[in-house]
Amino acid sequence: MESEWTNTTNADLTLVLEDDLRADAGKEDMPKTADGTVELFWFHDIFWQQAYGVYAPGFKIRCNSNARESVLVYEPVSGQPVVVKPGETFSMTRWLFVAQDLAGVMADYLDARDQGDKLVETRLTVQADGRPVSGARIAIQCGDESWGTVVTGDDGSVVRRLPSGTCEATVSVAGQNFAMQKLVLASDGQHVLELAEYHPGIASITVTDAEGRAIPAKIEFKGNDKTPTPNWGPETAEHFVRNLAYTANGKIRTELAAGEYDITVSHGPEYDAEFTKLVIQPGKTSDLKVAIARVVETPGWVSADFHSHSSPSGDNTGSQRGRVLNLAAENVEFAPCTEHNRVSTYIDHIEALELKPFLATVSGMELTGTPLPLNHQNVFPLIYRPRTQDGGAPLTDVSPETQMERIAAWDSNSVKLIQQNHPDIGWLFYDRDGDQKPDEGYSRSFGIMNVTEIHPIDPLLNPTRYHIYGGKETGNQTALNWLQLLNQGFRIYGVVNTDAHYNYHGSGGLRIWVKSDTDDPATINSDEMRDNARNGHIVMSNGPYLETTFRETGSSGSSVIPGQDLAAKSKHVTASIRVQCPNWFDIDTVIVLVNGRRHDNLTFSRDTHPDMFGKDVVKFAHDVDLELTEDAHLVVLTGHRTQLIGDVMGPMWGAQHPVALNNPVFVDIEGDGFQANKDTLDMPLPVKFVAQDER
Ligand SMILES: [Zn+2]
């Protein structure tokens, strides 16, 4: 890389020579040159096997890095400042070395300095019980210099040019470290690194549904006693993510240390999970065939996640193919592609992984502006225009209202689902300037948004005015504020999404079920998803499957589903409520919220109404009669007040209480259309959240 400066002024110009680099290392195994002054700056992404070096002949590099960025200041070796006289030109060259690992960068660097003759080509082979080990990491230290970490290929070998003489090699396999070995490197050397403490066998696992059809799945491995838990790769990876194996076709075959493992096989909350053990013996293949049944029946509804990310979003390094594999493994059946600030697509990944029978998609995006958290909107469908800037996406705007209007107008005013992401409802609707005094809010956007994210939803089981985290009030309670909004007459439907950025239990921990003409993911129509979501035919959940229909009691008229209106001049409404769960979590409560309020006679729990709750898949299946005194929107909330979702969904999602709720049905008892009752639920309407000690 060469840069040139010409001084077109009449005065001397002193140059500050600086490059800024971005290399996101936060979730990667990616060492960078330690801060200080060096001749070669490098960073080395071990898992994805990419490394880069920067060298500027005639300069030292003063480098300063954080997990994301590095600032390189070039200081002349002479110690003199770089002064360009009027009319003169100064140029400088940097070399950029690109290799698979630091050893490759260092060899290229020494070649560039004519010192490559110090190096000897060396083949390193990792073996266990006499057989090659692929994917083994070898950390190499020669003298006081790290030569990075090289990774063995399918034949258990890797060839690099390394310094002659004594080096130290430390091997690790799937996160398990083995004893350091000394190597004496000479020309054309071959070195075998035998791992005396590693005795691997093969796990061969097949996952099907109860009918024997291979299905995508998530398989968790936990070592028992002295057996190490594997750590195959960072949470940005695809098929092997930390101790999880994700499979698109129900098949996993991997080498791992001998011992006994706890295995959990899952495919989202419509399927039972299997909890079993697998014993691996050295040199042998252990077969495990697991059939998990789809026990939860969801005819007429498909599961969806409207908000997901991966590396094209620009704020993370998660593999997009890994995202698609996550979604399919968790039995999400419809997932628009919603990267930040660009239109992208999952189609190629779905084809490559042969996931078309399991996952439908469409291009969309998250338009991500400032201020956070307000000015973020998800939208689908959008036309993807490959090889154009941002895939043909609209640009952000400093005004949340202008930004939303721009989305609505994009693609010639096409019909879209416009979703407000993770709002502070107080700030967005009632406190535009954030001064804690109610105002008109960002009112131009109210009529444009079709749905809004309202998660987390499990606090609704035991609601508090503010969201509490770690004993502190950390934000407005969005789900509660949404009920207040409905009471003020806003008809903005709720959704919950994972907003997943990484692939370790990334997708699956929140989902919606959307009404659909087809139950076959391969034939899901994205326009129908858009339209049914615009009409509020959505149930929100972190696991439990909730079905609700409502009808006028005793009437011959047909029943209505979430998002619809119901006329009930008799003031009597019957809610048909059914809740199903698989074998890995439960519910203990069903509450019918009338205009957002609880009533004792519409609150059912395993303590107060034990006979109403089941122990098998169907946890609750009853008609509940209500008598209304005014127009009312009806929301059924179900969940478990004490138990958690649990380990199947990983440490973050698994810490939620199971919960589900439907979008409201709007009941009109006077025949003049639904009238909101303006109840604020014993709280003021929200304003922008500020921490308690600043209030
Ligand atoms: Zn997002």
Side-chain angles (χ1 to χ4, degrees), residues 547-560:
E547 289 164 275
T548 53
T549 60
F550 303 82
R551 63 183 187 277
E552 185 172 19
T553 308
S555 145
S556 56
S558 58
S559 55
V560 301

PDB file of all heavy atoms in Angstrom, residues 547-560:
ATOM      1  N   GLU A 547     -52.937 -21.541  22.255  1.00  0.00           N
ATOM      2  CA  GLU A 547     -53.997 -21.305  21.265  1.00  0.00           C
ATOM      3  C   GLU A 547     -55.154 -20.620  21.974  1.00  0.00           C
ATOM      4  O   GLU A 547     -55.571 -21.065  23.053  1.00  0.00           O
ATOM      5  CB  GLU A 547     -54.528 -22.628  20.704  1.00  0.00           C
ATOM      6  CG  GLU A 547     -53.577 -23.354  19.789  1.00  0.00           C
ATOM      7  CD  GLU A 547     -54.020 -24.805  19.621  1.00  0.00           C
ATOM      8  OE1 GLU A 547     -53.663 -25.638  20.476  1.00  0.00           O
ATOM      9  OE2 GLU A 547     -54.738 -25.077  18.649  1.00  0.00           O
ATOM     10  N   THR A 548     -55.655 -19.561  21.360  1.00  0.00           N
ATOM     11  CA  THR A 548     -56.809 -18.879  21.938  1.00  0.00           C
ATOM     12  C   THR A 548     -57.782 -18.525  20.821  1.00  0.00           C
ATOM     13  O   THR A 548     -57.384 -17.993  19.786  1.00  0.00           O
ATOM     14  CB  THR A 548     -56.402 -17.559  22.632  1.00  0.00           C
ATOM     15  OG1 THR A 548     -55.646 -16.779  21.711  1.00  0.00           O
ATOM     16  CG2 THR A 548     -55.580 -17.804  23.869  1.00  0.00           C
ATOM     17  N   THR A 549     -59.041 -18.828  21.034  1.00  0.00           N
ATOM     18  CA  THR A 549     -60.103 -18.297  20.167  1.00  0.00           C
ATOM     19  C   THR A 549     -61.191 -17.749  21.075  1.00  0.00           C
ATOM     20  O   THR A 549     -61.313 -18.159  22.243  1.00  0.00           O
ATOM     21  CB  THR A 549     -60.696 -19.374  19.232  1.00  0.00           C
ATOM     22  OG1 THR A 549     -61.241 -20.423  20.037  1.00  0.00           O
ATOM     23  CG2 THR A 549     -59.649 -19.945  18.295  1.00  0.00           C
ATOM     24  N   PHE A 550     -61.941 -16.815  20.556  1.00  0.00           N
ATOM     25  CA  PHE A 550     -62.954 -16.127  21.359  1.00  0.00           C
ATOM     26  C   PHE A 550     -64.248 -16.080  20.568  1.00  0.00           C
ATOM     27  O   PHE A 550     -64.236 -15.883  19.359  1.00  0.00           O
ATOM     28  CB  PHE A 550     -62.494 -14.696  21.676  1.00  0.00           C
ATOM     29  CG  PHE A 550     -61.171 -14.618  22.397  1.00  0.00           C
ATOM     30  CD1 PHE A 550     -59.971 -14.704  21.697  1.00  0.00           C
ATOM     31  CD2 PHE A 550     -61.126 -14.466  23.773  1.00  0.00           C
ATOM     32  CE1 PHE A 550     -58.753 -14.628  22.362  1.00  0.00           C
ATOM     33  CE2 PHE A 550     -59.907 -14.390  24.445  1.00  0.00           C
ATOM     34  CZ  PHE A 550     -58.720 -14.475  23.734  1.00  0.00           C
ATOM     35  N   ARG A 551     -65.354 -16.231  21.267  1.00  0.00           N
ATOM     36  CA  ARG A 551     -66.658 -16.125  20.608  1.00  0.00           C
ATOM     37  C   ARG A 551     -67.663 -15.552  21.600  1.00  0.00           C
ATOM     38  O   ARG A 551     -67.436 -15.597  22.828  1.00  0.00           O
ATOM     39  CB  ARG A 551     -67.126 -17.484  20.092  1.00  0.00           C
ATOM     40  CG  ARG A 551     -67.353 -18.521  21.170  1.00  0.00           C
ATOM     41  CD  ARG A 551     -67.741 -19.887  20.584  1.00  0.00           C
ATOM     42  NE  ARG A 551     -68.107 -20.813  21.647  1.00  0.00           N
ATOM     43  CZ  ARG A 551     -67.232 -21.527  22.366  1.00  0.00           C
ATOM     44  NH1 ARG A 551     -65.924 -21.422  22.169  1.00  0.00           N
ATOM     45  NH2 ARG A 551     -67.662 -22.349  23.319  1.00  0.00           N
ATOM     46  N   GLU A 552     -68.735 -15.004  21.057  1.00  0.00           N
ATOM     47  CA  GLU A 552     -69.801 -14.551  21.952  1.00  0.00           C
ATOM     48  C   GLU A 552     -70.452 -15.789  22.532  1.00  0.00           C
ATOM     49  O   GLU A 552     -70.819 -16.718  21.798  1.00  0.00           O
ATOM     50  CB  GLU A 552     -70.834 -13.702  21.200  1.00  0.00           C
ATOM     51  CG  GLU A 552     -71.882 -13.133  22.148  1.00  0.00           C
ATOM     52  CD  GLU A 552     -72.802 -12.122  21.472  1.00  0.00           C
ATOM     53  OE1 GLU A 552     -72.880 -12.124  20.227  1.00  0.00           O
ATOM     54  OE2 GLU A 552     -73.445 -11.336  22.197  1.00  0.00           O
ATOM     55  N   THR A 553     -70.615 -15.815  23.859  1.00  0.00           N
ATOM     56  CA  THR A 553     -71.115 -17.011  24.519  1.00  0.00           C
ATOM     57  C   THR A 553     -72.502 -17.368  23.986  1.00  0.00           C
ATOM     58  O   THR A 553     -73.377 -16.502  23.907  1.00  0.00           O
ATOM     59  CB  THR A 553     -71.181 -16.789  26.038  1.00  0.00           C
ATOM     60  OG1 THR A 553     -69.917 -16.305  26.474  1.00  0.00           O
ATOM     61  CG2 THR A 553     -71.509 -18.075  26.777  1.00  0.00           C
ATOM     62  N   GLY A 554     -72.628 -18.616  23.595  1.00  0.00           N
ATOM     63  CA  GLY A 554     -73.926 -19.092  23.138  1.00  0.00           C
ATOM     64  C   GLY A 554     -74.289 -18.659  21.736  1.00  0.00           C
ATOM     65  O   GLY A 554     -75.343 -19.027  21.219  1.00  0.00           O
ATOM     66  N   SER A 555     -73.431 -17.886  21.115  1.00  0.00           N
ATOM     67  CA  SER A 555     -73.752 -17.391  19.776  1.00  0.00           C
ATOM     68  C   SER A 555     -73.376 -18.425  18.730  1.00  0.00           C
ATOM     69  O   SER A 555     -72.466 -19.224  18.921  1.00  0.00           O
ATOM     70  CB  SER A 555     -72.989 -16.082  19.523  1.00  0.00           C
ATOM     71  OG  SER A 555     -72.613 -15.988  18.178  1.00  0.00           O
ATOM     72  N   SER A 556     -74.089 -18.392  17.624  1.00  0.00           N
ATOM     73  CA  SER A 556     -73.774 -19.329  16.547  1.00  0.00           C
ATOM     74  C   SER A 556     -72.703 -18.757  15.626  1.00  0.00           C
ATOM     75  O   SER A 556     -72.217 -19.427  14.741  1.00  0.00           O
ATOM     76  CB  SER A 556     -75.031 -19.632  15.739  1.00  0.00           C
ATOM     77  OG  SER A 556     -75.561 -18.402  15.263  1.00  0.00           O
ATOM     78  N   GLY A 557     -72.331 -17.476  15.863  1.00  0.00           N
ATOM     79  CA  GLY A 557     -71.300 -16.850  15.030  1.00  0.00           C
ATOM     80  C   GLY A 557     -69.959 -17.537  15.214  1.00  0.00           C
ATOM     81  O   GLY A 557     -69.721 -18.214  16.218  1.00  0.00           O
ATOM     82  N   SER A 558     -69.091 -17.347  14.246  1.00  0.00           N
ATOM     83  CA  SER A 558     -67.804 -18.035  14.312  1.00  0.00           C
ATOM     84  C   SER A 558     -66.898 -17.335  15.320  1.00  0.00           C
ATOM     85  O   SER A 558     -67.089 -16.175  15.680  1.00  0.00           O
ATOM     86  CB  SER A 558     -67.155 -18.074  12.937  1.00  0.00           C
ATOM     87  OG  SER A 558     -66.989 -16.762  12.472  1.00  0.00           O
ATOM     88  N   SER A 559     -65.900 -18.069  15.781  1.00  0.00           N
ATOM     89  CA  SER A 559     -64.974 -17.509  16.758  1.00  0.00           C
ATOM     90  C   SER A 559     -63.884 -16.718  16.040  1.00  0.00           C
ATOM     91  O   SER A 559     -63.693 -16.854  14.837  1.00  0.00           O
ATOM     92  CB  SER A 559     -64.383 -18.624  17.607  1.00  0.00           C
ATOM     93  OG  SER A 559     -63.795 -19.594  16.793  1.00  0.00           O
ATOM     94  N   VAL A 560     -63.213 -15.879  16.803  1.00  0.00           N
ATOM     95  CA  VAL A 560     -62.164 -15.031  16.231  1.00  0.00           C
ATOM     96  C   VAL A 560     -60.818 -15.396  16.851  1.00  0.00           C
ATOM     97  O   VAL A 560     -60.744 -16.031  17.904  1.00  0.00           O
ATOM     98  CB  VAL A 560     -62.464 -13.528  16.434  1.00  0.00           C
ATOM     99  CG1 VAL A 560     -63.788 -13.160  15.791  1.00  0.00           C
ATOM    100  CG2 VAL A 560     -62.448 -13.166  17.917  1.00  0.00           C
TER     101      VAL A 560
END
